[in-house]
Amino acid sequence: MPEQHEDGGLIVPPLLSVCAAEVLERVDALADDLFRTITAEIGSYARASKEIQADVRDFNERNLHEQLTCLAARRAMRTDSTQQCVRRRATQGIPLDAVLHAFRIGYRLLAHSLIERAKEQPGTTMDDIAQASMSIWSLLDAASQTVNDVYRETLVGLARADELQRLLLLDALLTGKTADWAMLGGTAASLGLPEQGPYVCVVAEHSDVTAMEQALLRSGLRSAWRPRPDGLAGIVALPDPALASGSARVPGPALVLGVVGAAVTGRAGLSPAYGRLRESADALRLATLARASLPAGTHGAVTLDHDPAAALVAAGHDLALRLAAALLDPVLAAPDRKDLMETLTAWLDSDTGSTTEIAETLYCHRNTVRNRLDRVSRLTGRSLVRPADVAAFYASVHALKLRTH
């Protein structure tokens, strides 16, 4: 094994130092040979652009010069050029195995040049040659480890940068900062979305971005999500209706509603469909309003069409609470307020208004339901037949449901 310093660095044999000094004098020719061999043996480099190939040729000479200089001076080997090169190749999309292959070629040619010079030195023995060869291959092992480590670190950094860019673009869209979107070079592709809509915006009480994305992908739906303190905000691309057929044809918004409703861990709201990504901020407000129309603690996904009256209450919640206080205070002050409010709520939630059905739901007699509703009407001075009064009752009761949202 080659000798090493206490810090683990290779002790360069004197023979290798002499040969490195000689090879350094023709480093430009060696760099040309290396470039030709790399582009001949490695497809990724052969197919690279002229700019990348010029960069490869430039690096070859700089790195060879750095390595040979260190060998000639018997100094610890520097890795500056190696690290810089690996980072550039990773950002240029050259695969790791191709980068490693290029370094192996470099050390193969370097070893050949150095050993040929060593053979020409007076008094050189086979042991000297063997020692020099082992030293060169030890350098290759160290370089390969550096390439692996730096390449993977660069990919992690690129992934983080891509994710940050993605989040910045989503923030620009969802907050209506179209100038920022343009300045950042925003495109649908940068978010993983199709260039053409329709899209829907989704706001969900959910914390697992990956789970939500995967649930949508299983239904063929692409999406982009932004974590927020209250959950997730996202844009979902609706499927092209022209690509659906037969009984499997499900309207896009209904498909998203079903998937999100099954995946969400709390409430979720969906906007109406829209055509341009720059409309996402308006869509976000509508999706947030749809979610707010559901009482806190419930589970599911809704659109504004689910309960338009509830959405109106949510949009003016403070005003609706004032209405509730003015209208229902006499009921809430009554000794039997719990029974009265339970019966009024059941009646408002009923599809038919049938006292018989409501009585079955509340496990009481139908006359009890009638008596309680009459009592509510007397206490408030409002009619449960007059549409305007019914609307006021609905808004007030729903405002109380949303009080903790």
Side-chain angles (χ1 to χ4, degrees):
M1 291 291 293
E3 294 183 81
Q4 292 184 328
H5 294 287
E6 290 182 1
D7 62 2
L10 178 71
I11 297 178
V12 178
L15 174 63
L16 201 55
S17 172
V18 172
C19 296
E22 293 181 3
V23 174
L24 188 57
E25 295 176 359
R26 56 177 300 273
V27 68
D28 55 341
L30 182 59
D32 287 335
D33 290 343
L34 177 54
F35 175 73
R36 284 192 293 269
T37 307
I38 286 175
T39 52
E41 292 189 18
I42 308 175
S44 297
Y45 285 88
R47 294 188 297 269
S49 67
K50 296 296 183 183
E51 291 76 13
I52 292 178
Q53 288 189 353
D55 186 53
V56 170
R57 169 59 183 81
D58 178 62
F59 163 75
N60 288 347
E61 183 164 347
R62 284 190 290 115
N63 192 53
L64 285 169
H65 191 278
E66 182 178 81
Q67 302 300 307
L68 287 166
T69 299
C70 290
L71 286 171
R74 305 190 70 189
R75 294 199 304 261
M77 302 301 293
R78 295 176 59 88
T79 62
D80 301 26
S81 293
T82 297
Q83 294 186 43
Q84 181 186 11
C85 169
V86 173
R87 292 191 188 99
R88 290 175 69 85
R89 300 299 167 260
T91 59
Q92 291 163 347
I94 304 295
L96 174 58
D97 59 346
V99 178
L100 284 168
H101 190 178
F103 271 85
R104 285 194 293 269
I105 291 172
Y107 275 92
R108 186 179 76 204
L109 295 183
L110 183 61
H112 177 75
S113 295
L114 290 171
I115 297 305
E116 287 300 308
R117 290 292 186 283
K119 290 177 181 178
E120 297 171 359
Q121 300 301 316
T124 300
T125 66
M126 290 304 297
D127 285 343
D128 294 332
I129 298 294
Q131 184 68 21
S133 298
M134 291 177 65
S135 295
I136 295 169
W137 298 123
S138 292
L139 292 175
L140 173 59
D141 288 341
S144 297
Q145 186 62 52
T146 299
V147 170
N148 269 297
D149 293 345
V150 174
Y151 193 97
R152 297 185 193 285
E153 288 171 6
T154 304
L155 287 187
V156 170
L158 289 172
R160 288 175 179 163
D162 285 347
E163 182 60 19
L164 177 59
Q165 174 78 353
R166 195 166 181 259
L167 293 178
L168 289 173
L169 288 172
L170 273 172
D171 281 342
L173 281 179
L174 296 175
T175 56
K177 297 176 180 176
T178 54
D180 289 354
W181 165 261
M183 180 185 69
L184 292 168
T187 63
S190 63
L191 298 177
L193 298 173
E195 291 294 338
Q196 300 294 327
Y199 315 97
V200 293
C201 192
V202 181
V203 177
E205 292 175 339
H206 195 81
S207 59
D208 192 334
V209 176
T210 302
M212 185 64 78
E213 282 182 331
Q214 292 301 316
L216 290 161
L217 277 176
R218 284 193 290 272
S219 295
L221 298 166
R222 286 192 277 169
S223 59
W225 294 90
R226 179 62 167 110
R228 307 194 314 175
D230 60 346
L232 298 175
I235 301 170
V236 182
L238 299 181
D240 185 347
L243 301 180
S245 61
S247 59
R249 193 173 201 166
V250 178
L255 180 59
V256 176
L257 192 67
V259 174
V260 173
V264 74
T265 54
R267 300 174 297 168
L270 275 68
S271 74
Y274 58 100
R276 300 193 312 147
L277 280 176
R278 290 172 181 262
E279 300 168 5
S280 295
D282 290 334
L284 175 68
R285 286 190 284 273
L286 295 177
T288 302
L289 186 57
R291 184 186 66 178
S293 71
L294 290 174
T298 58
H299 172 276
V302 295
T303 64
L304 292 171
D305 295 337
H306 168 72
D307 191 338
L312 286 172
V313 171
H317 191 225
D318 290 342
L319 180 60
L321 282 174
R322 289 177 178 272
L323 172 63
L327 179 62
L328 295 176
D329 266 0
V331 178
L332 296 173
D336 54 346
R337 58 184 174 275
K338 183 173 182 289
D339 292 336
L340 294 178
M341 288 300 298
E342 183 181 57
T343 303
L344 176 61
T345 301
W347 181 73
L348 290 169
D349 288 343
S350 169
D351 291 333
T352 63
S354 166
T355 54
T356 300
E357 291 180 8
I358 296 169
E360 291 176 357
T361 301
L362 299 178
Y363 301 102
C364 63
H365 195 275
R366 60 182 296 193
N367 289 336
T368 301
V369 173
R370 286 200 185 102
N371 291 336
R372 290 175 180 172
L373 292 175
D374 287 343
R375 182 160 161 70
V376 168
S377 183
R378 288 196 303 274
L379 285 170
T380 60
R382 300 294 185 102
S383 169
L384 290 174
V385 176
R386 185 169 175 262
D389 289 346
V390 174
F393 276 119
Y394 182 88
S396 298
V397 169
H398 203 76
L400 294 177
K401 287 183 182 180
L402 299 181
R403 187 161 42 192
T404 57
H405 92 288

